[in-house]
Amino acid sequence: MSADNAGRPRVCGPISSSSSENDTLTQLTEFARLAREGWVLDTNALYATLAFANGDVLTDARLYAADVINHLPGDRLRLAASTVMSQPTRESIRQLGQQCQMWLLTVESRKSSKGDESAVVDTLQRADLYNAALGKSHACERAATHAYSRARVQMNSILHARYTAIALSLLDRAYRLADTALTERRIIEMTSGLWFKEALRRLEIASDSLIEHRRAQQKRAAEADKIEDMLSDLPNAPTDNIDLQVDLDALLTVADPTPPIPASVPSTLVVLRTLSHLPETKSSSQPNPRLEFASICGVEMPLAETPDLQAISRELTAEMPWATDIISTLLMDSVGSPASRIRNTLLVGRPGCGKTRLARRLGEVLRLQPTVVPAAGAADASFGGTNRQWSTGRASTPLQAIKRTGIANPMLIIDELEKAGTSDHNGRLTDVLIPFLEIESSRRYHDPYLECSVDLSAVSYIATANTSFRLSGPLLDRLRVLEIPQPRKQDLLIVVRTILVEIRQQRNEDEVWCPELNCGELNLLARQWRGGSLRPLRRMIETILAGRMAFAPRH
């Protein structure tokens, strides 16, 4: 049984990270035994052992939900946990994780106690691991991030090696799931570059410590503990037979920490294969799609190559230091890939925090030739294209962007998404976006204007919004939601320089005619602007520049 006499789940305490290597191995062995007997492990212990209650993911999810439900803030979270208790399924666990993500983005989370936030974060990380065990590729990525975050702060060499190895094994699983299910991006991108090199370096250090420990053990016992015993396979769902064993020795003997890019990753893409099905149009008054899209029909369209990401990171961080973490997260999407791309992302933040500018600059430095599509007030579904039976027939916006830019992987920035029209009389932008955000449907998108399938899978989408509350669940489920912090008071000098550069460009002036602000002007701005929206700061700077012109001496 998995509950005590009072009906409550039996929950194990945390792992002691200050113990010796021998004691830690004993703890891990004991925790694995207790899990087989139906005990629910602490989340840190679960990530270290991958031992679910009774060896079953859904059983563990049900028992954990029963234990945590009274610690979750808000009716929605408790209702989602209650659903997992009564019906532990893939969908109910996914909904619980989604509710946790949404709560962490709300104003309520900022006002909550540390205990409430800790319970939600713990539940989210737990749900990611459950979904990873149930065969979700993106959940494997997120769970790998959680495991490696634990490794980075872990001083105990046994736990350090275990968390790192499990993180890499989860990435390996995610890669194979992505390869078989044709999900949005190959996980090899995450395992390349600095992240992977650092993971291997830390794993080697931990392995050296383990080797010394094993030598000492061999002197005291006939049979030494093997490092392979530390690595438990992630239990598979009943319908999932993919093995998750990691060959740690193979990882440690890799000659080049940066794995080669698979040959299957193309540098070009045929977006539109043929238009032969369309009739010849001789009338100049009717749309002629054969002539309009002849330049890309059957052509291998190039993919914008990934530039030096470290240089880009330094450049963007210097421009927007308050968004350093967000910049790193977004750039990770292109690590290890020959072609630039960004995962479908929603940037949420208060007005004036620089969401649109960050998205635009990211597209520019990644050579994705970004196009900003205003969503505010959009009252139809023309984004997905319109049929030629209408006089205003046109191809879908992504296909037009590909034709205009000449690359197969341009970036579209859907600005102010939450302000799109809600009437469904002529369709809604928020609904028509959905097929473009799914790799399977975007790879074979049926364009109503051309009446054939086109491959739009390489297009990157970044949406911006002040809040995600008005957006539908199916849309949010297809977007990675990142919250953009507001500029801080200490960012004043950097922001002022950036705004001055933009003003000079708009006025076609150089520094001679529009010099930097002096100390007195900067002190004035510092007294009036204490962080937050950049728009009032820009108005202040424009006022100062106008004052310069008004009081400038005239000869």
Side-chain angles (χ1 to χ4, degrees):
M1 296 295 292
S2 57
D4 58 20
N5 295 333
R8 290 183 55 81
R10 298 183 297 183
V11 182
C12 295
I15 296 178
S16 175
S17 59
S18 61
S19 303
S20 64
E21 284 85 354
N22 190 47
D23 291 340
T24 301
L25 289 173
T26 302
Q27 287 186 61
L28 293 175
T29 303
E30 180 64 15
F31 276 125
R33 183 188 66 79
L34 291 174
R36 289 194 297 269
E37 296 177 359
W39 286 72
V40 179
L41 303 187
D42 165 83
T43 301
N44 284 329
L46 182 62
Y47 268 90
T49 61
L50 296 181
F52 297 95
N54 290 336
D56 182 71
V57 177
L58 299 181
T59 299
D60 195 286
R62 175 175 58 82
L63 294 175
Y64 175 77
D67 182 65
V68 80
I69 186 169
N70 293 327
H71 302 286
L72 293 175
D75 294 335
R76 290 187 177 182
L77 285 173
R78 286 192 286 269
L79 178 60
S82 177
T83 304
V84 174
M85 288 172 55
S86 58
Q87 297 178 335
T89 62
R90 293 186 181 207
E91 179 60 23
S92 63
I93 294 173
R94 187 188 68 81
Q95 288 290 341
L96 176 59
Q98 183 176 346
Q99 289 296 329
C100 290
Q101 285 181 315
M102 293 177 65
W103 185 89
L104 290 171
L105 294 174
T106 62
V107 177
E108 180 185 356
S109 67
R110 302 189 188 97
K111 300 178 181 178
S112 64
S113 65
K114 290 185 177 180
D116 288 345
E117 182 178 359
S118 176
V120 175
V121 170
D122 189 83
T123 303
L124 173 59
Q125 295 186 2
R126 194 103 177 185
D128 284 339
L129 191 57
Y130 291 149
N131 285 320
L134 295 171
K136 291 290 186 180
S137 173
H138 291 308
C140 289
E141 295 181 52
R142 294 191 295 269
T145 302
H146 303 326
Y148 190 62
S149 296
R150 287 170 165 81
R152 294 187 65 178
V153 299
Q154 186 58 245
M155 301 302 294
N156 185 297
S157 61
I158 297 287
L159 294 178
H160 187 115
R162 185 155 186 97
Y163 285 134
T164 305
I166 287 174
L168 294 173
S169 66
L170 286 164
L171 286 178
D172 175 70
R173 177 182 176 83
Y175 174 71
R176 281 185 279 172
L177 288 172
D179 190 50
T180 55
L182 296 176
T183 52
E184 185 175 346
R185 69 186 179 101
R186 294 183 180 275
I187 313 306
I188 195 67
E189 300 172 11
M190 282 190 66
T191 57
S192 303
L194 296 179
W195 190 98
F196 192 63
K197 291 178 182 179
E198 179 67 11
L200 285 178
R201 187 185 70 81
R202 288 174 173 267
L203 196 56
E204 288 174 342
I205 294 173
S207 178
D208 290 341
S209 176
L210 287 174
I211 291 173
E212 292 298 324
H213 170 69
R214 289 172 60 186
R215 287 174 179 171
Q217 289 290 93
Q218 286 173 346
K219 294 179 181 179
R220 296 190 298 266
E223 184 176 359
D225 293 320
K226 295 183 178 180
I227 192 170
E228 289 82 2
D229 295 336
M230 295 174 52
L231 303 176
S232 302
D233 289 343
L234 187 64
N236 297 312
T239 58
D240 187 3
N241 295 319
I242 298 178
D243 185 19
L244 188 59
Q245 184 64 40
V246 171
D247 187 348
L248 186 58
D249 291 333
L251 284 174
L252 296 178
T253 55
V254 174
D256 183 2
T258 304
I261 302 301
S264 59
V265 178
S267 58
T268 60
L269 181 68
V270 178
V271 175
L272 175 60
R273 294 195 172 276
T274 180
L275 290 174
S276 60
H277 63 284
L278 295 178
E280 294 282 355
T281 302
K282 298 181 179 180
S283 173
S284 60
S285 62
Q286 296 180 353
N288 191 341
R290 293 188 67 162
L291 179 61
E292 185 179 351
F293 286 90
S295 60
I296 67 171
C297 181
V299 175
E300 294 271 356
M301 301 290 293
L303 293 163
E305 296 181 357
T306 302
D308 184 348
L309 295 179
Q310 289 186 350
I312 287 176
S313 178
R314 290 192 295 268
E315 179 181 349
L316 293 181
T317 301
E319 294 179 16
M320 291 164 277
W322 62 92
T324 300
D325 292 341
I326 303 299
I327 292 170
S328 299
T329 300
L330 292 169
L331 290 180
M332 277 297 298
D333 296 337
S334 293
V335 170
S337 173
S340 295
R341 77 165 305 161
I342 296 295
R343 286 175 54 186
N344 301 330
T345 302
L346 174 64
L347 300 180
V348 178
R350 296 183 181 181
C353 68
K355 303 182 296 295
T356 306
R357 186 178 188 280
L358 172 59
R360 177 178 57 80
R361 289 289 294 126
L362 186 71
E364 290 173 351
V365 296
L366 288 177
R367 305 169 184 172
L368 298 178
Q369 303 187 39
T371 299
V372 180
V373 181
D380 58 27
S382 60
F383 183 93
T386 53
N387 200 288
R388 294 196 313 279
Q389 68 180 352
W390 307 105
S391 60
T392 56
R394 47 169 279 179
S396 62
T397 300
L399 184 59
Q400 292 186 60
I402 291 174
K403 177 177 177 291
R404 183 177 63 257
T405 60
I407 59 175
N409 58 337
M411 175 189 288
L412 292 182
I413 302 171
I414 317 299
D415 200 26
E416 305 287 357
L417 182 58
E418 88 283 9
K419 297 181 177 62
T422 57
S423 172
D424 58 2
H425 178 66
N426 293 315
R428 293 185 295 188
L429 173 62
T430 52
D431 292 336
V432 78
L433 272 175
I434 290 177
F436 295 100
L437 304 178
E438 287 282 2
I439 189 68
E440 186 65 25
S441 53
S442 64
R443 193 184 298 276
R444 301 171 181 83
Y445 180 74
H446 184 83
D447 191 279
Y449 182 70
L450 301 181
E451 297 180 1
C452 66
S453 295
V454 291
D455 190 347
L456 307 176
S457 58
V459 180
S460 296
Y461 300 90
I462 292 186
T464 69
N466 298 136
T467 176
S468 60
F469 292 143
R470 292 188 58 188
L471 303 180
S472 64
L475 183 59
L476 287 175
D477 190 46
R478 291 164 171 82
L479 291 167
R480 170 182 57 182
V481 181
L482 300 177
E483 186 171 8
I484 305 293
Q486 286 192 306
R488 305 156 299 183
K489 183 178 180 180
Q490 59 264 37
D491 301 321
L492 177 63
L493 290 177
I494 295 175
V495 172
V496 168
R497 293 193 189 100
T498 302
I499 293 176
L500 280 176
V501 170
E502 293 178 350
I503 292 176
R504 291 186 191 116
Q505 291 173 347
Q506 291 174 0
R507 298 180 178 182
N508 196 23
E509 295 178 344
D510 56 25
E511 290 191 34
V512 175
W513 296 100
C514 184
E516 298 289 335
L517 301 188
N518 57 41
C519 292
E521 293 166 336
L522 289 173
N523 288 334
L524 178 62
L525 289 177
R527 288 196 297 269
Q528 299 298 323
W529 187 80
R530 300 183 180 278
S533 175
L534 298 176
R535 295 191 180 99
L537 178 60
R538 183 186 178 95
R539 290 193 291 269
M540 294 177 199
I541 295 174
E542 290 174 340
T543 301
I544 290 175
L545 297 179
R548 284 179 176 179
M549 294 296 296
F551 294 101
R554 288 169 173 77
H555 302 286

